[in-house]
Amino acid sequence: MVRAIMHGCNGRMGQVITGLIREDEGIEIVAGIDAYTERENAYPVFESIASCDVEADVVIDFSNAGAADALLDYCTVRKVPVVLCTTGLSEEQLAKVEEASEKVAVLKSANMSLGINLLLKLVKDAAKVLAGAGFDIELVERHHNQKVDAPSGTAIALADSINEAMDDAYTYVYDRSQERKKREKKELGISAVRGGTIVGDHEIIFAGADEVVEFRHTAYSKAIFGKGAVEAAKYLAGKPAGRYDMSDVVVL
């Protein structure tokens, strides 16, 4: 049984993960960390990671960037692996993540979804066959109308995975409205759609002569990121120091 500390336990994702782990026989939450301690949980909750004295095999983090430094310090000193899901880290904090990984196992990924990380591998293999045969590649991502960045980080990760398979020969094209010319063979088109309450939808199109191959992933709730974090925690517990991501968890 893997013993986990849930960092940010009383937030939305912290509670989602609490529910997921409650039904998982391979892992248990032995302590939670959250500035808000009024919510009732089946495990003790501490206001800060520094005050936690419960032994654990791994920390799952879904909190905020302001708490990341203290968390990394704790995990480095205690030699507790950490699944770092918090986004919005500064350049200095990202450098600290790399430093911490020299002393303890740290897993950080652009997207925690098992499905997306499987897709990252599938499109890489597809590109080696289809792009090499002259297929054009287009990527369309759709998200809710409150999302401020475009294209999404996941869309870029998918494009990067394809480009890596093709020795970085492709150029990303985000908007064709300013140029009237035919599509270049070595361009990868990326389009962003924003509307309604779409959680996340990513479509990769390989368009060839007289045939089209499509890969698509649709997220219906953010619970998929919690499921990925739980699987990552079970994988990371007991691992030696190093930098890990979800590609290590999803093995074909």
Side-chain angles (χ1 to χ4, degrees):
M1 177 74 76
V2 173
R3 301 168 298 170
I5 292 173
M6 184 63 237
H7 191 250
C9 64
N10 286 334
R12 180 181 176 187
M13 287 306 302
Q15 287 298 295
V16 167
I17 291 172
T18 295
L20 290 170
I21 288 180
R22 191 182 301 123
E23 305 300 322
D24 193 318
E25 296 180 355
I27 185 170
E28 64 175 335
I29 298 178
V30 293
I33 312 297
D34 205 289
Y36 177 73
T37 60
E38 298 305 310
R39 186 189 297 272
E40 186 175 340
N41 290 287
Y43 47 80
V45 177
F46 301 85
E47 289 189 17
S48 69
I49 189 70
S51 62
C52 179
D53 58 0
V54 179
E55 295 293 323
D57 304 307
V58 66
V59 176
I60 302 173
D61 167 63
F62 258 107
S63 56
N64 60 75
D69 292 293
L71 171 63
L72 290 169
D73 289 340
Y74 174 93
C75 292
T76 300
V77 171
R78 299 287 190 95
K79 296 295 186 291
V80 181
V82 56
V83 177
L84 193 62
C85 302
T86 292
T87 58
L89 300 184
S90 67
E91 291 298 322
E92 292 78 10
Q93 288 176 315
L94 291 174
K96 189 166 185 172
V97 169
E98 298 303 324
E99 292 174 8
S101 69
E102 297 175 3
K103 300 177 182 178
V104 68
V106 179
L107 190 149
K108 187 177 187 305
S109 192
N111 190 302
M112 295 303 296
S113 160
L114 291 172
I116 283 291
N117 282 279
L118 175 61
L119 188 59
L120 286 166
K121 295 191 174 188
L122 293 176
V123 296
K124 180 178 288 189
D125 288 340
K128 293 175 183 177
V129 176
L130 300 175
F135 281 60
D136 297 321
I137 309 170
E138 292 285 320
L139 198 156
V140 181
E141 59 95 345
R142 306 170 181 88
H143 283 86
H144 53 85
N145 58 21
Q146 300 301 302
K147 187 173 179 64
V148 296
D149 59 316
S152 67
T154 299
I156 296 299
L158 287 163
D160 288 346
S161 186
I162 292 169
N163 211 9
E164 181 182 330
M166 304 310 296
D167 297 322
D168 294 322
Y170 281 74
T171 299
Y172 301 163
V173 176
Y174 304 102
D175 183 8
R176 294 192 176 90
S177 65
Q178 302 304 310
E179 296 182 343
R180 294 182 61 82
K181 65 177 185 178
K182 292 196 302 183
R183 187 186 199 283
E184 300 290 340
K185 294 303 295 182
K186 295 296 184 181
E187 73 176 48
L188 197 163
I190 304 176
S191 302
V193 176
R194 296 289 175 267
T197 59
I198 302 169
V199 175
D201 188 284
H202 295 84
E203 182 180 13
I204 303 91
I205 304 165
F206 292 90
D210 301 321
E211 61 179 331
V212 175
V213 178
E214 297 180 345
F215 293 84
R216 186 169 184 173
H217 177 274
T218 301
Y220 293 102
S221 82
K222 291 187 176 182
I224 63 171
F225 308 125
K227 177 61 177 175
V230 172
E231 294 303 315
K234 291 191 289 185
Y235 166 85
L236 200 65
K239 290 292 188 295
R243 181 75 160 78
Y244 299 82
D245 61 32
M246 286 299 289
S247 67
D248 298 304
V249 182
V250 180
V251 180
L252 293 178

